[in-house]
Structure formats: C-alpha cells, structure tokens
C-alpha cells in the first residue's frame, strides 16, 4: 500500500497550548489555508471546557466561520456536551480521547480511566447517522505522571476504543518521548491483534524523534499519520512537551518515498505564517524554516 493519510491537527493540538489568545478570524483563515494547501483531513478545533483550555473557547465561532463541508473536518470532544455541539455544526467526524494512564485521565479530563470509557460509550450512544468516531489513546510511550507504561495497557486501551466503535485509533506519543526502537516493539505487538490500516500514529517532536518514529512506523506498515503545520503544538497537561511532528517534515519525508501527498509545501508554510508571526516565534520545522528563508515569507 503506497497511500498515506495525513491528519492535520494544527488548528487543535497545535494551538490549544498557546497562552496568547489567537483571534478567531486568524484561526479560521489558518484552517481555510491549510485546506487550500492540499490537506484533506483537518481537526479544526475542540469542544472542551473553556476553563480547561481557554484557547479553544471560541470553537463554536471558529466552526461558524468556515465551510466544514469542503474537506474532512473533525473536532475533538471529551463528553456529551461536545457531542451535542458537533451536531450543531454537522460534523461528520468527531474524535474522542482517553489514555493508558489513570493519572493522566485525571489531569486531562478530571475523571478516572473507567469513567473516561463510560463517557466515550455515552458519546457513541448519541452519534448521528453516518457520523464517524476516531479514538486517541494518549501516553502510549510513557506518562508524565506515571512514567513507564506497560504494553498491556496500550493493548487494553486500543482494544477498548475499537470495541466501543472507533473506526480508527491514533496512538499518541503525548510527550514526544518515543524512540524508533520502542515504536517498532509496540507496533509488532499491536499488529498481532489489530488491523494496522486502522491504526494512526500521533507523534510529538519534543526530542526530535518525530520523523524517525514515522520511519519506524512506516516500516512496520502504518499508513496514517497525524501532524501539525509548522510543528505547532503541545498538550496543556504534558509539561515540557513540544509541538507535534510538523506536517512539512512529514510531507518532505513522504515525497522522498515517492508518495503523493496532495500538499503544496509552500502554501502549507504560508498557511501557518500569520500564526507564527502573531505568536512571535519561529516554526520548529526545518523544512518550514528553509521555505521561509528561500521564499522571503
Ligand atoms: P469539568 O470541569 O469536570 O467539566 O471538566 P464540567 O462538566 O464541570 O464543565 C465545566 C465547564 O466547562 C462548564 O461551563 C461546562 O459547560 C463547560 P460553566 O458552567 O463553568 O460555564 N464544558 C464544555 N464547554 C464546551 N464543550 C464541552 C464542555 N464540557 C464542559 N464539551 C472536562 C471535565 C472533560 C469537560 C474538562 O476536563 C475538559 O474539557 N478537558 C479537555 C482537556 C483537553 O482538551 N486536553 C487536551 C486535549 S487531549 C490531547 O491533547 C492529547 C492528544 O493530542 C493525543 C496525544 O497527544 O496523545 C489528543
Ligand atoms: Mg497530541
């Protein structure tokens, strides 16, 4: 299989951790330009508690400012309230999330692991006809509070998300501590029990391992990757974790394998340019930095 699906999570995972509030119009423009750059699957925002993640407090307005039918738009939701909001905006896809770690569930969603599965179950009971549900399993490579995570917990979480009805499960390296060797070991076990075409990898690039981990995953047979434009990102409940693997780096890597991505790299860099200027910082992506230098952006 020579086809790779890219899930752009920049507008959600990329922005959620930024403390400076980004105006709604800028977020909406960012999303529109990501689509124009050729990205087909975009997680546009999250319907979460505005107290927990203030940057996402304008999610409703963001969704009203864009045509969500132009691409495969998804939204991250933690509970039934998020589900109801997703219906207001006619989302065909919602993303639910849980973790391998009791402590992380408590910090991130103020509930136990078991309650997090109950919440997901209640979300499934309320899906509208044709609405797809993607599942995230966080802290697969280790937890900022509990440390080492056993493979059994990874297998358990993956199994739970599929059995509840998720069409795809993204394995999250929330803090970016994974290494290619660990990726290989986890995926070797995962593929004994699950169809790898339904598994996505969600890497953060804290220690610069993002692309190496993609390579290891690709070799194991993974063909779905999450990434964020310019490598924006981080999780408010994973201190020190930096942005997601950048979409630019991912596309450059895939281009090297002769895999068509439909993404125009220059347009992609232009899409996040105003966000980086507003935040007053450069992108961490080498590919992004090169394009900025060579195109005077
Ligand atoms: P809680 O405080 O127990 O919730 O938090 P609550 O039900 O008491 O509600 C608190 C307030 O939030 C209320 O507003 C609710 O209406 C509102 P108030 O009455 O005070 O004005 N509220 C909502 N508003 C909009 N949409 C909603 C919603 N729900 C409640 N859906 C809760 C529990 C789960 C809500 C909270 O902890 C929360 O929102 N957590 C989400 C945290 C988050 O977004 N974390 C980052 C995403 S996960 C991640 O980044 C990892 C990932 O990228 C994968 C990886 O890297 O591994 C996915
Ligand atoms: Mg993440």
């Amino acid at each position: 299989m020579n086809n790779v699906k890219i899930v752009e999570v920049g507008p959600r995972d990329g922005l959620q951790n930024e403390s400076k509030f980004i105006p709604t119009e800028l977020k909406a423009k960012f999303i529109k330009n990501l689509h124009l750059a050729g990205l087909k699957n975009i997680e546009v925002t999250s319907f979460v508690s505005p107290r927990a993640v203030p940057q996402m407090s304008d999610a409703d307005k963001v969704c009203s400012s864009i045509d969500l039918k132009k691409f495969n738009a998804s939204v991250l939701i933690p509970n039934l309230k998020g589900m109801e909001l997703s219906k207001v905006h006619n989302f065909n896809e919602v993303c639910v999330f849980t973790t391998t770690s009791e402590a992380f569930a408590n910090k991130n969603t103020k509930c136990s692991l078991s309650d997090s599965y109950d919440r997901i179950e209640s979300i499934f009971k309320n899906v509208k006809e044709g609405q797809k549900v993607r599942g995230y399993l966080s802290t697969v490579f280790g937890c900022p509070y509990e440390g080492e995570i056993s493979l059994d917990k990874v297998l358990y979480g993956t199994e739970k998300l599929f059995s509840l009805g998720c069409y795809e499960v993204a394995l999250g390296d929330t803090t970016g501590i994974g290494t290619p060797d660990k990726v290989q070991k986890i995926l070797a076990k995962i593929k004994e029990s699950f169809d790898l075409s339904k598994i996505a990898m969600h890497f953060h690039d804290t220690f610069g391992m993002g692309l190496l981990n993609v390579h290891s995953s690709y070799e194991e047979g993974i063909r779905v990757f999450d990434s964020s434009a310019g490598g924006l990102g981080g999780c408010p409940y994973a201190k020190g974790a930096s942005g997601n693997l950048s979409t630019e780096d991912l596309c450059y890597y895939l281009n090297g394998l002769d895999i068509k991505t439909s993404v125009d790299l220059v347009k992609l860099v232009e899409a996040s340019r105003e966000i980086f200027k507003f935040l007053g910082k450069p992108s961490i992506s080498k590919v992004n930095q090169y394009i900025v230098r060579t195109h005077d952006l």
Side-chain angles (χ1 to χ4, degrees), residues 9 12-13 16 136 138 172-174 202-204 226 234-235 244:
V9 295
R12 193 278 303 171
D13 210 357
Q16 70 184 10
Y136 283 106
S138 286
D173 184 8
T174 318
H202 177 104
F203 292 117
H204 285 255
D226 296 358
C235 174
N244 296 78

Side-chain angles (χ1 to χ4, degrees), residues 52 101-111 145 237:
S101 148
E102 195 68 51
F104 195 75
N106 266 287
K107 295 276 184 196
N108 202 25
T109 44
K110 293 196 189 166
C111 69
Y145 309 103
Y237 300 95

Side-chain angles (χ1 to χ4, degrees), residues 96-100 104-105 108 112-113 116-117 120 135-139 157 161:
V96 295
F97 57 108
T98 183
T99 160
T100 58
F104 195 75
N108 202 25
S112 67
L113 259 185
S116 87
Y117 288 116
I120 293 173
Y136 283 106
L137 184 66
S138 286
T139 58
L161 286 169

Side-chain angles (χ1 to χ4, degrees), residues 52-203:
V53 189
Q55 187 63 256
M56 296 287 110
S57 61
D58 61 348
D60 201 32
K61 288 191 202 138
V62 169
C63 293
S64 301
S65 318
I66 46 182
D67 185 351
L68 295 165
K69 291 284 164 266
K70 285 203 163 162
F71 51 93
N72 179 27
S74 60
V75 62
L76 187 84
I77 58 167
N79 54 16
L80 273 181
K81 177 156 186 177
M83 189 60 186
E84 292 316 314
L85 284 165
S86 84
K87 287 182 188 167
V88 171
H89 291 282
N90 278 317
F91 273 94
N92 289 328
E93 180 167 337
V94 294
C95 307
V96 295
F97 57 108
T98 183
T99 160
T100 58
S101 148
E102 195 68 51
F104 195 75
N106 266 287
K107 295 276 184 196
N108 202 25
T109 44
K110 293 196 189 166
C111 69
S112 67
L113 259 185
S114 151
D115 285 347
S116 87
Y117 288 116
D118 289 347
R119 282 183 188 170
I120 293 173
E121 195 169 0
S122 68
I123 285 172
F124 268 103
K125 285 189 181 138
N126 284 275
V127 285
K128 67 172 171 105
E129 175 116 15
Q131 207 172 21
K132 294 198 302 183
V133 182
R134 185 175 205 246
Y136 283 106
L137 184 66
S138 286
T139 58
V140 162
F141 293 83
C143 169
Y145 309 103
E146 290 185 11
E148 273 295 306
I149 292 294
S150 71
L151 250 174
D152 282 348
K153 287 184 178 171
V154 176
L155 294 171
Y156 174 81
T158 309
E159 167 60 33
K160 269 299 251 185
L161 286 169
F162 278 127
S163 65
L164 285 166
C166 293
Y167 83 95
E168 185 170 278
V169 171
L171 301 180
D173 184 8
T174 318
T175 47
I177 55 173
T179 57
D181 180 59
K182 198 157 180 192
V183 169
Q184 191 276 325
K185 287 193 173 90
I186 288 178
L187 289 179
K189 221 44 201 156
I190 286 279
K191 67 181 163 192
E192 284 174 13
S193 313
F194 307 99
D195 175 356
L196 269 200
S197 68
K198 294 181 177 167
I199 299 283
M201 297 308 283
H202 177 104
F203 292 117

